[in-house]
């Protein structure tokens, strides 16, 4: 082998090994993507209901916590839409538009809460 070829091979970046197991973050992301539920009002109080669980009660609580924290600031707008004389389809369209606006809040809340949960889990059972 020539000296130049040896130098080029030595400088070639090594192949990045691909993980054979999904990372915990990937698994959590998939679980959260499968969660189904929503917010509703009972007795004038905003509440969250899980209809399809992630299988992890902490993740379910994170998702509901995010929904409550991020929907609460627009609760008055939701009440106004739902209390209006608009037809059902228009109400749904406006409600969905309001919820779309909460996505950055939901993502930020969930990212922070999942990071805290993973840190606690890494510390072991005594920290939970």
């Amino acid at each position: 082998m020539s000296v130049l070829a040896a130098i080029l091979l030595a400088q070639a970046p090594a192949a990045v090994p691909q993980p054979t197991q999904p990372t915990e973050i990937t698994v959590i992301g998939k679980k959260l993507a499968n969660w189904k539920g929503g917010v509703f009002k009972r007795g004038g109080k905003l509440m969250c209901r899980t209809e399809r669980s992630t299988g992890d009660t902490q993740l379910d609580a994170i998702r509901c916590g995010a929904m409550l924290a991020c929907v609460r600031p627009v609760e008055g707008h939701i009440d106004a839409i739902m209390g209006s004389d608009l037809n059902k389809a228009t109400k749904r369209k406006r409600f969905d538009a309001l919820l779309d606006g909460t996505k950055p809040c939901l993502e930020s809340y969930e990212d922070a809460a999942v990071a805290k949960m993973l840190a606690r889990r890494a510390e072991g059972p005594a920290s939970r």
Side-chain angles (χ1 to χ4, degrees):
M1 175 182 302
S2 75
V3 175
L4 180 58
I7 293 171
L8 290 175
L9 284 175
Q11 293 177 350
V16 178
Q18 296 299 315
T20 55
Q21 296 288 330
T23 64
E24 193 166 3
I25 291 291
T26 303
V27 171
I28 287 171
K30 287 179 182 179
K31 286 181 176 183
L32 284 171
N34 288 321
W35 182 92
K36 294 286 184 222
V39 293
F40 65 98
K41 280 190 134 175
R42 179 178 291 150
K45 183 176 176 166
L46 193 63
M47 303 183 85
C48 179
R49 172 183 28 236
T50 296
E51 295 170 10
R52 184 171 64 211
S53 173
T54 62
D56 182 325
T57 56
Q58 287 181 319
L59 288 178
D60 292 345
I62 287 171
R63 176 54 60 91
C64 272
M67 292 194 70
L68 291 170
C70 297
V71 170
R72 196 165 280 122
V74 296
E75 184 178 358
H77 297 291
I78 293 170
D79 291 344
I81 291 168
M82 295 308 175
S84 72
D85 291 336
L86 298 169
N87 65 48
K88 189 175 181 178
T90 302
K91 285 182 183 183
R92 186 75 212 178
K93 186 176 179 179
R94 290 188 181 179
F95 176 77
D96 289 345
L98 266 176
L99 289 186
D100 281 346
T102 66
K103 285 182 180 178
C105 175
L106 291 168
E107 291 169 2
S108 177
Y109 183 106
E110 288 178 4
D111 288 348
V114 167
K116 286 171 95 174
M117 179 190 76
L118 289 175
R120 282 193 309 271
R121 287 181 178 180
E123 291 171 2
S127 65
R128 291 184 204 164

